[in-house]
Amino acid sequence: MVAGKIRAALLAMGTLLLLNACASTHMRDVPEPIAATKPAENSATLVLMRPSFFGGAIQSSVYDITTGNSEFIGIVSAGKKIAYEAPAGKRRLMVVGESADFMDADFAADQIYYARVVPRLGVWKARFSLEPVPASSSELESDLKSCTWVDNTPASHDWARANIQSVDAKKAEYLEDWEKGSDKPFIARDAGQKARP
């Protein structure tokens, strides 16, 4: 009985250490941001989460490329989530790992939307995709609970500036083919949930 409890405690500690080892050192843990429940006026919030620990040692960086520029949102590590507040309307997002992948969205004001950062096999390291998660999904609550909040730091912004040429090269390499595809991920206006009053 005691040996079982000790084994369980060691397993829990090992899992915690592993999760911390996989987290980006450029991001910082934070309490739930206000934007996660109440975006600013005429804005929506997209919660990007990475509940899967597959490819956990590889970081995924996410960008808003609506304007044509790669605007850094943050680094989403395994077991982490970030709240991105954006103006209502049509947006295009990009996730970068070994390659780049994309997702379109049409945000309504005062709504909270959700998407998973999904790792998949790459040639040298993990690739990532963005997967819309409707607010009505039965898996949403467990996905959110399995992730902790992070936010940017000066180090994450320095990293983004230092790597922008590589990011833009991947965008240029992969966006044209993605645009030709027929089964593109999309977050519809009605896929979110009303922000808290």
Side-chain angles (χ1 to χ4, degrees), residues 10-174:
L10 289 174
L11 180 61
M13 285 176 31
T15 301
L16 185 62
L17 288 172
L18 178 63
L19 295 180
N20 286 334
C22 297
S24 171
T25 57
H26 299 307
M27 303 293 285
R28 64 185 168 103
D29 291 327
V30 293
E32 182 178 55
I34 292 171
T37 56
K38 183 69 179 155
E41 190 175 348
N42 298 318
S43 296
T45 296
L46 173 63
V47 175
L48 292 152
M49 55 194 167
R50 189 171 155 195
S52 172
F53 291 95
F54 172 73
I58 308 300
Q59 307 304 323
S60 55
S61 52
V62 185
Y63 301 80
D64 186 329
I65 61 168
T66 306
T67 65
N69 295 324
S70 301
E71 298 172 21
F72 181 62
I73 295 173
I75 299 168
V76 186
S77 303
K80 302 295 181 183
K81 60 189 171 187
I82 189 169
Y84 173 56
E85 195 172 68
K90 295 182 178 177
R91 315 298 300 171
R92 177 163 288 171
L93 304 160
M94 173 177 71
V95 62
V96 175
E98 181 181 74
S99 62
D101 205 2
F102 309 89
M103 176 180 73
D104 283 335
D106 187 3
F107 296 144
D110 205 32
Q111 293 281 314
I112 313 294
Y113 296 92
Y114 303 91
R116 287 186 199 100
V117 176
V118 180
R120 52 195 171 87
L121 288 176
V123 177
W124 303 107
K125 61 181 185 176
R127 295 179 176 217
F128 298 94
S129 295
L130 294 170
E131 179 182 276
V133 180
S136 60
S137 170
S138 60
E139 299 172 0
L140 178 60
E141 187 176 348
S142 63
D143 282 350
L144 289 169
K145 283 184 178 177
S146 69
C147 299
T148 57
W149 292 106
V150 291
D151 200 3
N152 284 299
T153 65
S156 68
H157 287 289
D158 288 346
W159 177 90
R161 280 189 290 274
N163 287 277
I164 193 63
Q165 286 183 321
S166 171
V167 166
D168 283 342
K170 288 176 183 175
K171 178 173 67 174
E173 181 179 354
Y174 291 97

